[in-house]
Amino acid sequence: MIDYAQARRMMVDCQLRTFDVNDNAVLDAFDTVPRETFVPKGREPFAYIDQTLNLAGANGEARCLPAPMVLARLIQALKIRPGASALDVGSGTGYAAAVMAELGADVTALESVPDLAEAVRTKLGTAARVIEGPLEAGAPKQAPFDVILINGRVEVRPQALLDQLKDDGRLACVFGPHRNAKATLFVRAGDAFGSRPLFDASLPLLDAFAAEVGFAF
């Protein structure tokens, strides 16, 4: 029988702390939220391994549960404070949304795959509002947001999401082509958006943010 509480502590101590995750609130949130309840049934023993876990909706569209180290660094970069309005894009089964809610954020979870959206509603209850719709469109009725997290790799600049940030708002994602992707932080300043790479990372591509394939002769 796996002691999942101990597995969470080991994840925090052996994965997150060693990968420059040093925000105590973030560490406490990852030590509190039971990651094993957000993985596909039967895969609970793999919940705390240092790997991205693939999820799939009924329509076959790819989703993932990012590796703990990658997700924790992305969330840390958002600098979430209690009361912050947060959008979780491509929420999958809702783990990242649950972590942000544990940090005190007012979370909107956006999912385009109906069965995954229902899973988020079931798992999170009143901890987050769940919106079902196209990921690239964001949640304009709930905007503007202090922070936005994208659970997956994007190949194109997510401009519609950036436009839904408040001034000084932050968006974290894994950005770029597969072999050259980097965890990236975007920050809004008025009508301008700055960005900086954080670290090398790769996640499964979200179809909604795929680059158009150029014509080849």
Side-chain angles (χ1 to χ4, degrees):
M1 181 69 70
I2 296 175
D3 183 340
Y4 287 112
Q6 182 179 16
R8 278 195 298 280
R9 288 192 293 272
M10 291 185 63
M11 174 189 70
V12 169
D13 291 337
C14 300
Q15 297 180 43
L16 307 193
R17 292 184 188 276
T18 62
F19 195 53
D20 296 328
V21 181
N22 49 33
D23 184 306
N24 287 331
V26 173
L27 293 170
D28 288 345
F30 275 81
D31 194 26
T32 300
V33 177
R35 186 177 168 97
E36 71 275 7
T37 67
F38 294 90
V39 302
K41 188 174 181 180
R43 301 191 67 190
E44 293 87 351
F46 302 100
Y48 294 97
I49 63 174
D50 179 24
Q51 291 182 15
T52 295
L53 297 179
N54 291 324
L55 311 170
N59 66 353
E61 189 170 348
R63 290 290 183 272
C64 71
L65 181 58
M69 292 193 303
V70 172
L71 183 60
R73 283 284 298 274
L74 289 172
I75 290 178
Q76 178 173 260
L78 291 173
K79 297 184 178 179
I80 297 171
R81 296 294 177 259
S85 55
L87 177 64
D88 185 44
V89 179
S91 196
T93 54
Y95 177 67
V99 171
M100 291 194 289
E102 183 66 28
L103 287 166
D106 177 18
V107 182
T108 298
L110 174 63
E111 182 51 70
S112 62
V113 179
D115 62 308
L116 291 178
E118 185 57 35
V120 178
R121 291 188 186 96
T122 299
K123 292 178 185 298
L124 296 186
T126 60
R129 67 183 60 81
V130 181
I131 305 295
E132 188 177 324
L135 304 186
E136 67 276 17
K141 291 183 179 179
Q142 286 71 37
F145 297 98
D146 293 297
V147 299
I148 298 176
L149 175 70
I150 304 178
N151 290 276
R153 183 168 54 87
V154 304
E155 292 181 330
V156 296
R157 184 183 177 95
Q159 191 60 50
L161 300 182
L162 292 171
D163 289 339
Q164 292 173 29
L165 286 172
K166 295 179 182 178
D167 195 17
D168 293 327
R170 294 169 167 245
L171 181 150
C173 64
V174 172
F175 181 61
H178 174 60
R179 296 186 182 278
N180 297 305
K182 294 183 181 296
T184 301
L185 180 69
F186 291 86
V187 181
R188 181 168 194 168
D191 292 329
F193 301 90
S195 66
R196 62 183 176 90
L198 302 173
F199 54 94
D200 292 338
S202 191
L203 291 174
L205 176 65
L206 291 170
D207 292 344
F209 301 100
E212 292 185 8
V213 178
F215 181 79
F217 290 94

